[in-house]
Amino acid sequence: MSDAKRRGLTVFFAGFAFVALVLAGAVSYLADSDPDGLDHATQKGCTVSEVDGKEQLDGQCVAQSAKDHALADGPMADYKPGGSDGLTGLAGVVGVVATFAVAGGLFWLLRKRSDRPEPSSET
Amino acid sequence: MHMSDGLLNAGTSVLFGAVAVIGVAVAMAGSRRDLDDRTAPLAGLVAAFVFAAQMLNFPVLPGVSGHLLGGALAAILVGPWVGALCVTIVLVIQSLLFADGGLTALGANVTNMALIGTVVGYVVAVALRGLARRSRAGLVGVAFVAAFVNTVVASAGFVLEFAIGGDAGGVSFGGVAGTVLGVHCLIGIGEGVITALTVGAVASVRPDLVYLLRGNEKPLEIREGARHE
């Protein structure tokens, strides 16, 4: 890989990371807060209300059998750091960085090493 | 499309936990030959991008939203093995860090979104690869179709799991299944648009990084690239 090509790749990666951070950190505030397709289907037949900040289901629906997440009291549960809706963007940035760290780290370890045997591209 | 704990009984959760573990092990073995100094960081970014995009719920019906699953997107950009791992890592982080998607349901969620969605999306994309190679519009169209099918079939995964070990709680199973599949046809359109835009954007800047467009001439890859510098 030539220096110019390597630099081009670095710029591309930086741009890709920037887009992911902006989506998670800023655009996420525009996300629709309605239940997603699966939650909608499993809540069908129930009325959903909010009681003491917790979702309350009344009626007959599949979601009645759903249990609270074991980590529902975690510091960033539901993308609300400290329980605050206003910090969703922060949760997004943390999530993007954490995902990149875990995935990038794993893939870096799994990759084929090209720094040792490279007979044809040296000359 | 993240299942909470409790929707599936314990046996079914364990069964799909095992399916997920086997699937991820196969993906890890397969991913080695697709990862090098260039594609490893790219794949890390694809995972981060899928995480970000999954936060962006879009409206599909009054009171109903949907979000990207990302299997087809990841498979087209970094291949099916690495792509399945990307989505798996996103789901694990969402469940552990953000309490999004149950812990005992993680196996079923990985099975649906990371394994079924990614593999099906990739199979569709490969079936249409000739079209994707012909032009940018072809690639974008193929990305849309692959992503649409990925979403609908992934939601069928939920229906299957629910049929095996779900408690319908007095509600008709057919009604739940019909609603899940119907709504995911709409969500699939959104998934298709996001995937088409993303793949199109990457291909316009760095078509060489799009896994689906890579040639079959694997052993010649390095020399071919060097000659054209």
Side-chain angles (χ1 to χ4, degrees):
Chain A
M1 216 175 346
S2 70
D3 275 359
K5 195 162 182 201
R6 189 163 296 164
R7 219 174 302 126
L9 198 62
T10 306
V11 170
F12 172 81
F13 286 160
F16 206 163
F18 179 73
V19 170
L21 287 168
V22 169
L23 291 179
V27 183
S28 58
Y29 286 100
L30 304 175
D32 188 343
S33 59
D34 284 326
D36 74 6
L38 188 70
D39 289 336
H40 165 71
T42 57
Q43 289 171 0
K44 216 171 180 183
C46 287
T47 50
V48 186
S49 53
E50 193 122 319
V51 178
D52 300 330
K54 281 208 158 187
E55 224 167 55
Q56 166 96 29
L57 294 172
D58 293 297
Q60 234 182 17
C61 62
V62 175
Q64 287 283 22
S65 60
K67 296 189 183 71
D68 276 345
H69 200 289
L71 305 172
D73 295 324
M76 286 198 288
D78 214 13
Y79 307 93
K80 292 174 186 166
S84 166
D85 252 341
L87 295 177
T88 292
L90 174 67
V93 169
V94 169
V96 164
V97 172
T99 306
F100 178 73
V102 173
L106 174 71
F107 297 147
W108 193 252
L109 290 175
L110 287 175
R111 82 192 193 284
K112 282 178 302 200
R113 310 300 157 96
S114 64
D115 42 4
R116 285 166 316 182
E118 206 171 34
S120 59
S121 66
E122 283 303 280
T123 46
Chain B
M1 206 179 77
H2 300 54
M3 243 182 272
S4 307
D5 288 329
L7 293 183
L8 300 178
N9 61 33
T12 312
S13 300
V14 170
L15 170 66
F16 284 97
V19 171
V21 166
I22 294 167
V24 168
V26 171
M28 280 185 63
S31 69
R32 285 172 172 272
R33 67 193 136 127
D34 288 337
L35 289 167
D36 57 31
D37 285 2
R38 250 162 41 116
T39 52
L42 173 68
L45 287 166
V46 166
F49 181 86
V50 169
F51 175 88
Q54 284 210 2
M55 289 185 77
L56 309 178
N57 283 60
F58 47 83
V60 291
L61 284 173
V64 188
S65 73
H67 62 75
L68 181 88
L69 306 184
L73 187 155
I76 291 171
L77 292 180
V78 293
W81 312 116
V82 182
L85 296 178
C86 285
V87 181
T88 300
I89 290 166
V90 168
L91 294 173
V92 169
I93 296 221
Q94 286 170 331
S95 186
L96 294 183
L97 218 48
F98 301 103
D100 182 14
L103 294 173
T104 59
L106 189 56
N109 284 330
V110 165
T111 302
N112 296 340
M113 291 183 262
L115 302 180
I116 297 178
T118 307
V119 169
V120 168
Y122 185 69
V123 167
V124 172
V126 167
L128 302 172
R129 179 147 58 186
L131 195 60
R133 284 204 175 123
R134 206 168 300 162
S135 67
R136 181 66 38 75
L139 173 67
V140 167
V142 169
F144 178 90
V145 174
F148 175 82
V149 178
N150 136 44
T151 307
V152 177
V153 179
S155 79
F158 165 78
V159 172
L160 172 73
E161 288 143 13
F162 194 68
I164 295 174
D167 176 10
V171 186
S172 105
F173 169 76
V176 174
T179 305
V180 167
L181 292 171
V183 172
H184 282 89
C185 287
L186 299 175
I187 296 174
I189 296 173
E191 172 113 22
V193 169
I194 296 169
T195 304
L197 286 172
T198 308
V199 171
V202 172
S204 65
V205 192
R206 293 297 299 247
D208 58 313
L209 293 180
V210 178
Y211 186 91
L212 187 68
L213 297 180
R214 278 198 227 162
N216 300 322
E217 41 355 315
K218 275 269 151 68
L220 293 172
E221 214 166 47
I222 297 165
R223 279 190 236 171
E224 278 284 302
R227 202 186 297 155
H228 290 302
E229 280 316 299

